[in-house]
């Protein structure tokens, strides 16, 4: 399969419940190659995992370093890579698309949190932003619109306010040209209802203490990502190895 947006987009469609598209999250070229060699059809970089690998807190990675890391990942594999570029780093739609293309990415996450305030962006402003990205990219980019209504305060909290706002935003983003939506933190039992109401493939995150990818697929998710979870698990294994080595060398000293 060639590393194109068309190939990545096709992977989102025609999937059966319980058989979601599982996209591991590489944080560097070496991890990307491991996941590709394992047979996964595409990959999704996590901003937090890449940030940690570069020595930054999530949301603090300089754009030049983030795009350079994405480029190293795409060069290491011959399968499609979609990149988490947070809220777009303040770049114009044209520059953002150009930098993604230069880095070899064929998809991106764009979130609707305003990082300057920590609040949700106005949904129409975010939809307009997504439409600009779509216009600049044409069909050459799979846009995953992250909806942060389960992370940030929403108007009229309580009852179905979060669900209603998630659906409202999701529909606006769909009209703007998004290929899929990502209501991060949405309760798993609501995934099917949200996907049906929005009308696009839905991305869900697999967490260590949550449903497994296949179960998330049965609940209504089409696409499964892991955020920084895989990088954190890898670092936990490295930490355990380091502690073992330290104990061994201390015992022998």
């Amino acid at each position: 399969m060639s590393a194109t947006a068309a190939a990545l987009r096709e992977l989102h469609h025609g999937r059966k419940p319980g058989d979601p598209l599982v996209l591991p999250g590489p944080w560097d070229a070496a991890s990307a190659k491991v996941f590709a060699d394992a047979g996964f059809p595409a990959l999704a970089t996590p901003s937090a995992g890449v940030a940690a690998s570069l020595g930054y807190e999530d949301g603090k990675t300089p754009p030049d370093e983030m795009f350079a890391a994405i480029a190293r990942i795409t060069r290491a594999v011959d399968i499609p890579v979609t990149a988490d570029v947070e809220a777009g780093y303040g770049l114009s739609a044209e520059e953002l698309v150009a930098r993604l293309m230069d880095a070899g990415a064929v998809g991106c996450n764009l979130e609707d949190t305003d990082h300057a305030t920590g609040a949700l962006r106005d949904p129409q402003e975010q939809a307009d932003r997504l439409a600009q990205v779509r216009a600049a990219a044409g069909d050459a980019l799979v846009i995953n619109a992250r909806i942060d209504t389960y992370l940030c305060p929403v108007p009229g909290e309580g009852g179905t306010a979060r669900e209603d706002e998630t659906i409202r935003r999701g529909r606006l983003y769909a009209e703007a040209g998004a290929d899929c939506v990502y209501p991060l933190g949405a309760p798993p039992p609501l995934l099917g209802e949200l996907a049906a109401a929005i009308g696009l493939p839905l991305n869900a995150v697999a967490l260590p203490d949550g449903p497994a990818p296949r179960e998330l697929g049965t609940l209504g998710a089409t696409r499964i990502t892991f955020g920084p979870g895989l990088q954190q698990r890898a670092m936990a294994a490295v930490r355990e190895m380091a502690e073992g080595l330290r104990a061994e060398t201390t015992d022998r000293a």
Side-chain angles (χ1 to χ4, degrees):
M1 180 179 296
S2 59
T4 66
L8 178 59
R9 189 173 288 112
E10 184 179 354
L11 289 169
H12 290 74
H13 297 282
R15 309 200 72 91
K16 298 178 181 178
D19 181 32
L21 173 61
V22 177
L23 300 176
W27 54 94
D28 60 14
S31 59
K33 193 169 189 316
V34 168
F35 292 132
D37 288 348
F40 288 98
L43 304 174
T45 71
S47 65
V50 173
S53 76
L54 297 173
Y56 295 102
E57 297 179 11
D58 187 23
K60 302 296 185 182
T61 309
D64 286 351
E65 293 196 43
M66 180 62 76
F67 287 110
I70 294 166
R72 288 190 292 271
I73 288 169
T74 64
R75 285 197 300 266
V77 298
D78 60 0
I79 57 175
V81 175
T82 178
D84 181 353
V85 289
E86 304 176 76
Y89 307 114
L91 301 172
S92 69
E94 292 78 10
E95 186 174 1
L96 177 62
V97 169
R99 298 201 68 172
L100 284 163
M101 299 297 182
D102 288 345
V106 297
C108 70
N109 277 15
L110 282 171
E111 60 199 51
D112 60 4
T113 293
D114 182 340
H115 284 224
T117 65
L120 288 166
R121 291 191 69 186
D122 176 83
Q124 188 59 60
E125 289 180 1
Q126 181 68 2
D128 291 344
R129 165 77 161 165
L130 293 171
Q132 291 166 3
V133 172
R134 172 55 68 213
D139 292 334
L141 200 66
V142 174
I143 300 174
N144 187 30
R146 202 178 94 178
I147 304 172
D148 287 350
T149 45
Y150 290 93
L151 304 179
C152 301
V154 300
E157 287 193 55
T160 63
R162 288 188 185 276
E163 180 182 346
D164 293 343
E165 183 65 10
T166 301
I167 292 169
R168 181 168 81 101
R169 286 172 178 266
R171 288 174 173 170
L172 282 171
Y173 302 165
E175 292 172 3
D179 293 282
C180 48
V181 292
Y182 182 15
L184 181 57
L190 289 181
L191 296 177
E193 183 177 343
L194 292 174
I198 294 170
L200 287 180
L202 185 144
N203 189 145
V205 63
L207 300 172
D209 57 351
R214 282 191 179 276
E215 184 178 355
L216 289 169
T218 300
L219 290 169
T222 296
R223 160 173 160 160
I224 308 298
T225 52
F226 299 85
L230 301 179
Q231 186 267 344
Q232 291 169 350
R233 288 169 61 182
M235 292 311 299
V238 172
R239 187 175 298 109
E240 182 179 354
M241 179 177 65
E243 291 171 352
L245 287 170
R246 180 60 179 161
E248 180 182 334
T249 55
T250 300
D251 290 344
R252 292 182 177 181

